[in-house]
Amino acid sequence: MAKDTRAPKTRIRAKTLLGAVKDVAAAVQAKTTIPILSNVLISAGDGLLTLTGTDLDVQAVRECATDDRDGPGSKEWLESIRPFAVCLPAKALLALLGELDGDAMVTIAAEDDATASAPGRVTISAGRARFRLHSAATADFPRLTPSDWEHSFEIKASVLADAFARVGHAISTEETRYYLNGVFVHPVDSDLRLATTDGKRLARLALDAPVGAATWPAMIVGRVSVGVLDKLLGAAEKADEGAMVEIETNPTGSMLSLRMPAADGGSIELTAKAIDGTYPDYQRVIPSSSPRELRVNRHTLAEVAKRVGALADAKSRVLKFEIEPDLIRVTASTLDIGEASEELPCSYDGDAVTLGLDGKYLREALGAIGADDVVMRFDDAAGPVRLEASSSAQDAPRLTQVVMPVHV
């Protein structure tokens, strides 16, 4: 058999390659004890570049077209190149590509010693700039094995991004209760619900279930997956305002896949393991009915909470709310610094009551509600406070926020 004299190389615009590396690098953890996981796997062939990044729980695969067929002397160039795969350090790759002119043509060439089973070197060149990077053995790069997908539905990228943003602030970071470290996604009647809680607050959003979501198995989408999706969904929305995301899962809901368009006409697929655990019955925390109810302007309340909160204790962040008919008085104090107080109008005709709330949790809950006015419902100073958009708002009562009281 004649020796293949073609060179393992490809060419692509710097801005296209940089965007693709950024997409998959979102799944690469900044700090890892497994060296291979700090790399990006790059495969080139047949006019297509495929990049993969993973942390073993989340995997991002990005596809984009190369300039092998469209660049200068494309016929001769195509005859001179062959497919190849290399494994390059994500951080270094991002740094060098970020310094290049976006319209520059970048050539990636694997040297003969870069093989699947052994490390080697890769040359990246653009104009007069030339970089040589070490390539890890591609055979050592781990991949999440695609599952047998059984359930699927489509949803707008903008809708899914907004849904995660509305509930993401209440995801727990406490590792001992790992089953709270994500977004609980589950169908209820004609809704698809997303819920998060850290035991001190709760967020629940109800969406009209897309076609196919009614049989979706309940699953917990991990915090890291949600963070990666935040970046990818935003990019998909910029690429196409009406971009759709195809979501699939296996019968048990232990793994999911999301495929969406990318900025340059390519595509990206995120595969992620769901958290293996049972989410608690969060519905018990949400008050079904409360004797006290007040309405207040959301923006005004958030601004007052921020101003007064400047003098709240840094650790507890406690704000005291003295509520009386048509008036809320918000106060905060720190022993060694001083105190702050401000009043704001509201609509309330119940008995006077004093509540203690975490200022940060309150502001984040208010920030997630997309309405000018909010309704606060509570039983007494010791019970949970339920916040929702006023009944006249478009999304009321699709989003429910609950903040647990603190001692004042």
Side-chain angles (χ1 to χ4, degrees), residues 23-24 60-63 232 258-262 266-270:
D23 283 345
V24 299
V61 179
R62 173 78 150 81
E63 293 182 345
L232 299 183
L258 301 95
R259 190 173 184 87
M260 65 201 83
S267 64
I268 184 161
E269 182 175 10
L270 185 77

Side-chain angles (χ1 to χ4, degrees), residues 48-69:
L48 191 69
L49 202 65
T50 303
L51 298 89
T52 305
T54 184
D55 68 354
L56 296 182
D57 290 322
V58 181
Q59 173 179 282
V61 179
R62 173 78 150 81
E63 293 182 345
C64 55
T66 66
D67 286 277
D68 292 328
R69 289 192 174 95

Side-chain angles (χ1 to χ4, degrees), residues 73-145:
S74 57
K75 184 174 183 291
E76 294 78 9
W77 174 262
L78 285 170
E79 292 174 349
S80 70
I81 64 174
R82 62 179 170 86
F84 68 95
V86 292
C87 201
L88 301 178
K91 186 176 180 180
L93 197 55
L94 284 171
L96 72 88
L97 291 174
E99 297 300 322
L100 299 178
D101 185 304
D103 292 324
M105 187 69 75
V106 174
T107 298
I108 306 174
E111 299 181 10
D112 290 337
D113 58 348
T115 65
S117 58
R121 289 184 178 240
V122 176
T123 300
I124 298 178
S125 57
R128 297 183 179 181
R130 186 179 177 86
F131 310 89
R132 292 185 78 195
L133 299 178
H134 293 286
S135 170
T138 58
D140 295 337
F141 192 86
R143 298 171 180 82
L144 287 181
T145 304

Side-chain angles (χ1 to χ4, degrees), residues 303-316:
E303 289 170 357
V304 170
K306 184 177 182 180
R307 281 193 294 269
V308 175
L311 289 188
D313 180 81
K315 291 184 178 180
S316 66

Side-chain angles (χ1 to χ4, degrees), residues 353-370:
V353 64
T354 299
L355 299 176
L357 297 175
D358 183 306
K360 178 176 179 287
Y361 292 171
L362 176 63
R363 293 197 307 273
E364 289 181 341
L366 292 172
I369 299 174

Side-chain angles (χ1 to χ4, degrees), residues 156-158 236-237 240-244:
K156 271 191 174 183
S158 58
E237 189 179 356
D240 179 1
E241 188 175 336
M244 300 296 291

